[in-house]
Amino acid sequence: MPTLTGPTRAVSPPVRASQHRTAVLEQAIARNPRSFRMLTGDRPTGALHLGHYFGSQQNRVRLQDAGVELLVLIADYQAITDRSASCDLPDIVTGLVADYLALGIDPERSTIFAHSQVEPLNQLLLPFLSLVSVAEIGRNPTVKDEVAAAGSTAVSGLMFTYPVHQAADILFCRANLVPVGSDQLPHIELTRTIARRFNEHYCPDAPYFPEPDGLLSTAPLLLGTDGQKMSKSRNNSIPLRATPEETARLVSRAKTDSERYISYEPERRPEVANLLQLAALCLGTTPQAVADEIGSGGAAALKAAAIGAINDRFAPLRARRADLAADPVYLRSVLSAGNEKASAIATRTLQRVRELMHQSY
Ligand code: TRP
């Protein structure tokens, strides 16, 4: 990984604590990867983009390859917290499976599944809801933001309960490691609270659920082509599977500035810095080195360098993805096998939960 000197933002104490914990965990993983079970997830709202790749996907593959057991969840219920289920869902979901396989998630070692297909996982939502108060959910920063963003539009009950559902996503398989961005830390905290309360209430002498750790990615935040956070819903992202021509079109419309000399100054020139960052990540070098190379070439040379770097770096992945996309039957079979594996785990967990809660008759 190149050293990245992004803008120094104020880091909140919980994020700092989590960064420290992440460093400790990385050492423990290096010593004994098999003592970890890692659960990660994505909402199926569109194709994976370069922000996902450098932010989280690459990290998943790295940990999988280091020997950590990996479960990847497609959060199709979570996707309907703020929108209706779209008729495109089946294509988006199989498209995600294609992205995962193309970028190196190995279906022989790892489990890819959709949580709507794993009934006992969803049933855990009921006992877990009994362990949290309405006020606690209302204080969850992500829920608060989403409620505020909804403005005068009605907020669904699912929006209100999704952090508890996310705890079920993590605890159904008793995962102890969850790689996340810092926006997800409140959900990990709630998951830990639920695990702890369950153990205190129902099995104080032999805790059943682990309290999972969030593992923060060290990758910088990539901006989209409009200078905002790269996001599927903002229509400013570069999809992993974009063709070289689409990539060129998307990068050429990216915001820059009018200074001819290209320098890496994230505070003063965030859009230029972002393209330098993107090119550097693709080339495995530093943004500074890319800037030095371009010098007085201006925005046109910068964009050409970024386009070339992205297209070269992702050519093999894109070729694999195109082959996979041509075989939807295979993609669906990978997902069904993952759903079955996850269901077997969830069934055992639910059975044990029922026993511990005196609900086995
Ligand atoms: N909330 C995550 C997102 O918006 C997706 C998600 C759902 C998830 N369940 C999860 C992430 C469990 C990690 C663990 O991207």
Side-chain angles (χ1 to χ4, degrees):
M1 252 334 235
T3 333
L4 300 161
T5 45
T8 36
R9 276 190 219 95
V11 177
S12 71
V15 172
R16 187 145 357 121
S18 218
Q19 285 170 339
H20 176 71
R21 181 87 188 117
T22 293
V24 173
L25 283 165
E26 287 286 357
Q27 288 171 4
I29 294 167
R31 277 195 304 275
N32 190 3
R34 300 205 196 282
S35 63
F36 290 92
R37 175 178 266 180
M38 173 164 85
L39 182 288
T40 69
D42 298 298
R43 295 184 186 199
T45 50
L48 291 182
H49 55 62
L50 299 189
H52 293 124
Y53 182 81
F54 290 114
S56 54
Q57 303 295 328
Q58 210 186 15
N59 207 24
R60 294 177 186 177
V61 175
R62 174 180 68 89
L63 292 162
Q64 165 196 268
D65 293 348
V68 176
E69 182 186 353
L70 170 63
L71 291 103
V72 185
L73 159 116
I74 299 176
D76 50 352
Y77 276 137
Q78 201 173 102
I80 56 165
T81 49
D82 60 354
R83 68 194 78 201
S84 330
S86 135
C87 58
D88 296 336
L89 257 179
D91 286 342
I92 296 177
V93 169
T94 41
L96 267 180
V97 177
D99 282 338
Y100 292 146
L101 300 182
L103 60 85
I105 292 177
D106 172 4
E108 297 296 317
R109 281 182 286 168
S110 299
T111 307
I112 301 171
F113 68 102
H115 64 178
S116 69
Q117 308 302 300
V118 181
E119 290 154 30
L121 179 162
N122 294 298
Q123 191 165 336
L124 289 172
L125 185 58
L126 296 174
F128 288 177
L129 277 170
S130 77
L131 295 167
V132 294
S133 69
V134 171
E136 268 172 320
I137 303 181
R139 279 199 299 272
N140 179 292
T142 324
V143 171
K144 255 166 94 175
D145 285 354
E146 305 234 22
V147 170
S152 55
T153 359
V155 170
S156 73
L158 191 59
M159 171 73 87
F160 206 69
T161 56
Y162 89 82
V164 183
H165 196 179
Q166 187 155 334
D169 289 341
I170 297 169
L171 294 177
F172 93 91
C173 63
R174 301 203 294 156
N176 53 6
L177 200 61
V178 189
V180 283
S182 54
D183 63 316
Q184 299 285 305
L185 288 175
H187 299 331
I188 307 289
E189 216 31 64
L190 184 69
T191 304
R192 294 171 65 88
T193 303
I194 290 173
R196 193 165 54 244
R197 287 188 190 153
F198 184 93
N199 294 338
E200 280 164 10
H201 279 66
Y202 299 112
C203 46
D205 298 331
Y208 179 62
F209 286 114
E211 288 184 42
D213 274 300
L215 190 76
L216 283 179
S217 148
T218 50
L221 185 74
L222 275 184
L223 303 179
T225 46
D226 58 357
Q228 308 286 313
K229 182 185 170 192
M230 195 182 282
S231 139
K232 286 179 279 202
S233 48
R234 284 206 182 92
N235 199 18
N236 64 355
S237 60
I238 304 166
L240 277 181
R241 62 157 187 237
T243 62
E245 296 72 31
E246 280 160 359
T247 304
R249 195 170 46 75
L250 290 166
V251 174
S252 4
R253 69 167 201 218
K255 260 190 171 162
T256 47
D257 58 32
S258 54
E259 279 178 56
R260 181 110 200 121
Y261 195 85
I262 296 301
S263 58
Y264 182 59
E265 296 175 75
E267 297 280 3
R268 196 173 70 79
R269 308 179 71 184
E271 290 96 358
V272 166
N274 187 54
L275 284 176
L276 289 168
Q277 184 80 266
L278 189 51
L281 285 166
C282 293
L283 295 165
T285 176
T286 63
Q288 189 63 59
V290 181
D292 291 347
E293 188 108 333
I294 297 167
S296 56
L302 170 61
K303 287 181 176 176
I307 293 166
I310 298 168
N311 286 340
D312 286 352
R313 166 75 184 252
F314 288 99
L317 185 156
R318 287 167 170 174
R320 277 196 300 278
R321 196 193 181 285
D323 286 346
L324 287 158
D327 194 352
V329 174
Y330 171 68
L331 295 174
R332 281 196 294 273
S333 78
V334 167
L335 187 61
S336 330
N339 291 337
E340 261 175 50
K341 240 163 97 185
S343 294
I345 298 172
T347 299
R348 283 197 298 276
T349 303
L350 181 62
Q351 195 175 353
R352 189 68 194 126
V353 163
R354 282 180 178 152
E355 285 162 11
L356 291 167
M357 293 182 72
H358 323 292
Q359 290 181 324
S360 297
Y361 320 112

